[in-house]
Amino acid sequence: MARKILCVAEKPAIARAVATHLSGGSMQTHSIRGNQFVKNYEFDFNFGGIWGSCSVTMTSVVGHLTGLDFERQYKGWLSCPPGSLFEAPVHESVDNVRDKLPIAENIKNQARYSKALFIWTDCDREGEHIGSEVRHQARSGNSRIEVKRAKFSNTERAHVLRAAREPIELDEYQANAVAARIELDLRIGAAFTRLQTLQLQAVVAALKERVISYGSCQFPTLGFVVDRYLRVQNFKPETFWSIKVMLNREGKKVNFLWKRVHLFDRAAVTMMLERCLLAKQTKVTKVNQKPTSKWRPLPLTTVDLQMMGSRFLRLDSQTIMKVAEALYTKGYISYPRTETDQFDKAIDLKKLVEKQLPDNSWGQYAQGLLDGNFRTPRAGRHNDKAHPPIHPVCWVSPNSLAANERKVYEFVVRRFLACCSDDAKGQSTEIEIQYGEEMFHANGLIVLERNYLDVYVYDKWESSQQLPKFERGELFEPTEANISEGKTAAPNYLTEPELIGLMDANGIGTDATMAEHIAKIKEREYVATRARGSGRSAVQELIPTRLGVALVEGYDNVVSGLPNSVSLSKPFLRKEMELRMMEICSGTKTRQDVVQESLDMYRDVFIHTQRRIEMLKAACRKYLIEEAAS
DNA sequence: GCAAGGTC
């Protein structure tokens, strides 16, 4: 067999899974020198039309292979004005940390003897860029090597075999979009970080030796926390009034709620109630009884895992991701970083359900699914075309898991079984009445079939008190009708699941990094966590520190004079960068265009900040000296 | 001593 193909995946686990399928399980495994994670797998495979029978070496990288940095003379913080980092020369090199050099060497050496490089990185934007990094290494060993990539979105056997026989081209546009992102994040992050750190350290003693970093993701993340904090601080409660109608019938109390909910004008409400009382009788205008259901959850994505996890498992998002990664590495659950909330038709879900039969808590439930209760999961609207939704891969005894691992594993399994179940079914009743000119309603619910709720203990859906009988058109005199008074309540401080939801909705960070950004602004002491409530019902809330508030207020003051008022603590700038990346992907803009445009925009803000640096300093003095003293 | 994104 003369021809050799070099396959390179994005991570060791994919290399192993693909090699196993292509070789039918009979590959040879070799460790590489200098890296404990990456392995080379050797076997023969018939690629069909394109390359025919070949010997194959399948290996991997471990995420990005290279990093971008400034030339040496710009590395010292005092070596140049921070603003010059917008233009300073940069270079890409193999990261010397975490044993990446041996991985690069391995690819270069293997490429020497290979006819073709076959890239198996994830089929997303970052994956295309990692593929281009791999290509660069391979070409340094063999400049004439042919380059292809595999198109795949999971490691099901049939799917992998087809991908192996239908190679496509690397998407240069997507790789370029990522290259632009990398350069912008570096230049903008470093320039602003050095500027504000050097300037603010000199103002307040408390900031000496502290790094005050700026990042296009960490600042908007901080902005969300501060925004909510200010809304809580500035909240003024308002009194409102409402009309309540109650009827005693068949020994049951029925409370009717006002259609207007409440008003802030006491006199008006009093007058409305008086008109009701004048009418004496109320008339039933609607009796609506209909079947209703509570939908089973969607297949699990990373964002949902983090949001539901912080809410129900009492773990912060970073812990959840660490634990999920450990479960993935041990082969218990699928890849935990995914945006996909729809299962591919090719996945044999019943086989996965069957694996859970031995479990003491949910084994019986799983059996029920196999005995006829199984339903095809709902399909959400997201598909990253790289990974399936998070699901259990095999059953694992709770005894062999650490406490946090057990919690996360149990959540993943229960969620998966819930997805494969039927919706909960019930009957809802809505009674609407007219009393004078005003409308009121009462709602009832009877849960008839719990279905997925039996296994998905995190959702609550319970029958309300049963309503007595009403008939459309009937008249009755209410037992009570009066005014009730209430006060609007201040919003709560932001919780971690809420913050993740905001980041997700605004495109701040990715599924894999959102937890890191939150951890980063805690590490920088821009925000702190505090428990709201106590015991089992305690919730962690995020509260900005004085420094966090000072930075947001200071920058808002700085840019308030700019014509299109760009705020560094709002998500808009990041969103704009995302839109420009998409333009590179669609071919309407080049990488150079986008880098130039974005740098011009941020350079404006930067120069403005330098000119009005006093406003930033003043905000820090205000919060860190005056307030600390008072 | 800076970023964000991969992954371990």
Side-chain angles (χ1 to χ4, degrees):
Chain A
M1 221 164 289
R3 314 213 277 182
K4 199 178 107 159
I5 307 294
L6 171 60
C7 297
V8 182
E10 184 164 322
K11 41 200 167 242
I14 296 283
R16 209 191 85 221
V18 172
T20 304
H21 290 318
L22 298 190
S23 70
S26 64
M27 72 273 197
Q28 287 197 318
T29 306
H30 303 283
S31 295
I32 71 162
R33 200 191 302 259
N35 187 293
Q36 54 170 318
F37 301 108
V38 173
K39 302 267 189 293
N40 289 350
Y41 301 98
E42 285 176 11
F43 53 91
D44 295 332
F45 181 75
N46 188 341
F47 288 93
I50 168 158
W51 294 313
S53 279
C54 297
S55 68
V56 180
T57 298
M58 175 102 219
T59 188
S60 74
V61 287
V62 194
H64 283 288
L65 194 55
T66 58
L68 194 69
D69 210 347
F70 298 106
E71 298 289 349
R72 197 177 321 121
Q73 64 265 38
Y74 293 89
K75 288 204 178 157
W77 281 39
L78 299 171
S79 66
C80 62
S84 66
L85 297 178
F86 281 100
E87 291 86 24
V90 288
H91 66 275
E92 196 179 70
S93 59
V94 175
D95 265 330
N96 201 10
V97 290
R98 270 177 281 210
D99 308 329
K100 299 220 167 174
L101 281 171
I103 302 175
E105 275 304 299
N106 181 47
I107 291 169
K108 185 173 167 184
N109 287 333
Q110 292 292 338
R112 287 213 173 95
Y113 314 107
S114 300
K115 169 192 164 56
L117 167 67
F118 195 7
I119 294 165
W120 285 76
T121 50
D122 293 351
C123 291
D124 53 24
R125 241 168 24 194
E126 298 293 330
E128 298 305 314
H129 188 266
I130 293 169
S132 75
E133 297 172 51
V134 170
R135 176 177 62 189
H136 185 79
Q137 282 306 314
R139 281 183 178 157
S140 74
N142 175 357
S143 59
R144 296 173 51 192
I145 197 165
E146 181 188 354
V147 180
K148 293 281 175 187
R149 82 113 66 236
K151 188 182 172 197
F152 70 111
S153 61
N154 61 64
T155 53
E156 279 276 310
R157 186 182 142 76
H159 186 73
V160 165
L161 288 172
R162 199 180 59 200
R165 293 187 172 121
E166 296 171 10
I168 60 168
E169 301 299 321
L170 208 59
D171 187 332
E172 301 295 336
Y173 288 153
Q174 291 194 49
N176 285 338
V178 171
R181 198 245 333 129
I182 290 172
E183 183 175 346
L184 289 169
D185 282 336
L186 173 68
R187 292 187 184 284
I188 297 162
F192 275 97
T193 298
R194 286 189 196 178
L195 174 73
Q196 66 189 26
T197 301
L198 294 172
Q199 291 289 332
L200 297 179
Q201 274 183 347
V203 177
V204 185
L207 298 180
K208 271 222 166 75
E209 313 288 311
R210 284 251 291 270
V211 173
I212 305 165
S213 60
Y214 169 83
S216 56
C217 288
Q218 35 179 292
F219 251 52
T221 305
L222 168 63
F224 290 129
V225 177
V226 173
D227 192 59
R228 177 67 70 86
Y229 170 80
L230 293 177
R231 270 165 50 204
V232 174
Q233 294 300 305
N234 298 331
F235 179 80
K236 301 262 186 307
E238 270 185 282
T239 309
F240 58 73
W241 293 268
S242 141
I243 302 177
K244 276 202 177 143
V245 175
M246 195 271 279
L247 173 71
N248 233 327
R249 176 179 283 192
E250 300 166 18
K252 293 166 185 152
K253 266 189 182 177
V254 189
N255 287 307
F256 289 89
L257 303 173
W258 197 15
K259 201 168 186 184
R260 298 182 198 266
V261 187
H262 55 235
L263 299 176
F264 294 95
D265 181 343
R266 176 171 194 149
V269 177
T270 310
M271 204 171 71
M272 288 169 177
L273 175 64
E274 271 163 17
R275 277 199 214 135
C276 290
L277 296 171
L278 274 177
K280 285 229 156 62
Q281 297 243 304
T282 78
K283 182 174 169 191
V284 177
T285 50
K286 201 201 273 174
V287 177
N288 206 349
Q289 251 192 19
K290 59 180 181 199
T292 180
S293 56
K294 186 169 171 66
W295 290 1
R296 60 206 191 274
L298 285 170
L300 185 61
T301 63
T302 306
V303 168
D304 222 28
L305 171 67
Q306 293 182 16
M307 289 179 36
M308 303 299 280
S310 338
R311 194 162 291 153
F312 298 117
L313 310 182
R314 311 257 164 256
L315 303 172
D316 67 50
S317 54
Q318 213 186 22
T319 308
I320 290 166
M321 288 314 289
K322 283 228 175 77
V323 172
E325 264 157 38
L327 291 170
Y328 159 69
T329 318
K330 292 181 194 165
Y332 300 154
I333 66 170
S334 66
Y335 192 63
R337 291 191 273 270
T338 175
E339 294 172 23
T340 307
D341 53 10
Q342 43 189 242
F343 280 106
D344 197 288
K345 286 182 205 75
I347 296 186
D348 189 345
L349 297 169
K350 282 191 179 166
K351 212 160 97 191
L352 294 172
V353 172
E354 200 181 301
K355 298 230 163 119
Q356 295 298 328
L357 294 179
D359 195 88
N360 281 329
S361 305
W362 54 77
Q364 279 216 317
Y365 186 88
Q367 184 64 55
L369 292 184
L370 296 177
D371 292 344
N373 293 337
F374 178 89
R375 296 287 180 278
T376 305
R378 294 166 56 203
R381 288 182 293 113
H382 306 94
N383 195 331
D384 62 20
K385 300 280 170 73
H387 302 284
I390 305 168
H391 60 272
V393 172
C394 64
W395 179 73
V396 43
S397 158
N399 302 326
S400 56
L401 294 175
N404 284 347
E405 288 179 334
R406 203 177 308 159
K407 279 195 200 170
V408 174
Y409 178 74
E410 175 173 350
F411 177 77
V412 170
V413 175
R414 287 186 182 275
R415 172 68 167 245
F416 173 71
L417 295 175
C419 286
C420 299
S421 307
D422 206 345
D423 298 338
K425 305 278 170 63
Q427 170 132 284
S428 76
T429 312
E430 190 195 1
I431 314 284
E432 196 179 70
I433 57 170
Q434 184 172 359
Y435 191 19
E437 300 290 305
E438 300 303 313
M439 308 296 290
F440 300 82
H441 60 92
N443 297 303
L445 170 74
I446 304 168
V447 177
L448 298 171
E449 295 172 41
R450 290 182 47 81
N451 296 329
Y452 89 88
L453 293 169
D454 282 333
V455 73
Y456 198 60
V457 294
Y458 317 99
D459 266 2
K460 294 277 173 278
W461 202 52
E462 268 146 26
S463 298
S464 63
Q465 195 200 11
Q466 237 175 310
L467 295 176
K469 273 244 160 294
F470 286 94
E471 263 171 59
R472 204 186 142 158
E474 73 164 279
L475 300 173
F476 65 84
E477 196 168 327
T479 315
E480 267 178 34
N482 47 39
I483 291 189
S484 74
E485 187 181 301
K487 267 191 174 42
T488 54
N492 285 314
Y493 294 115
L494 208 59
T495 61
E496 190 159 316
E498 287 176 313
L499 177 54
I500 289 171
L502 283 170
M503 293 172 74
D504 185 44
N506 287 281
I508 301 300
T510 67
D511 47 12
T513 61
M514 285 188 296
E516 289 173 30
H517 298 312
I518 298 173
K520 177 70 81 182
I521 60 173
K522 287 185 200 167
E523 180 194 326
R524 296 282 186 239
E525 296 184 51
Y526 297 161
V527 307
T529 53
R530 197 173 75 182
R532 179 204 312 158
S534 60
R536 269 181 59 81
S537 62
V539 185
Q540 290 291 315
E541 34 185 37
L542 295 160
I543 298 170
T545 60
R546 292 197 179 94
L547 174 59
V549 178
L551 287 171
V552 170
E553 189 179 300
Y555 269 114
D556 281 353
N557 291 342
V558 164
V559 300
S560 69
L562 277 183
N564 37 14
S565 90
V566 272
S567 173
L568 293 180
S569 59
K570 293 270 186 305
F572 311 129
L573 282 173
R574 181 79 206 181
K575 248 187 190 157
E576 213 166 307
M577 197 193 289
E578 185 63 33
L579 289 177
R580 289 181 172 153
M581 282 170 72
M582 280 159 63
E583 287 186 291
I584 301 180
C585 290
S586 64
T588 51
K589 273 191 181 154
T590 69
R591 167 184 168 181
Q592 288 75 16
D593 291 341
V594 166
V595 171
Q596 273 323 310
E597 278 175 27
S598 299
L599 284 181
D600 288 347
M601 190 176 71
Y602 274 95
R603 198 190 286 103
D604 277 352
V605 183
F606 187 88
I607 290 170
H608 204 72
T609 306
Q610 277 184 315
R611 272 196 209 124
R612 308 178 73 170
I613 195 76
E614 264 315 312
M615 301 181 111
L616 196 56
K617 290 182 177 176
C620 284
R621 278 191 209 101
K622 172 176 158 195
Y623 285 98
L624 289 156
I625 298 177
E626 291 168 30
E627 289 224 353
S630 65

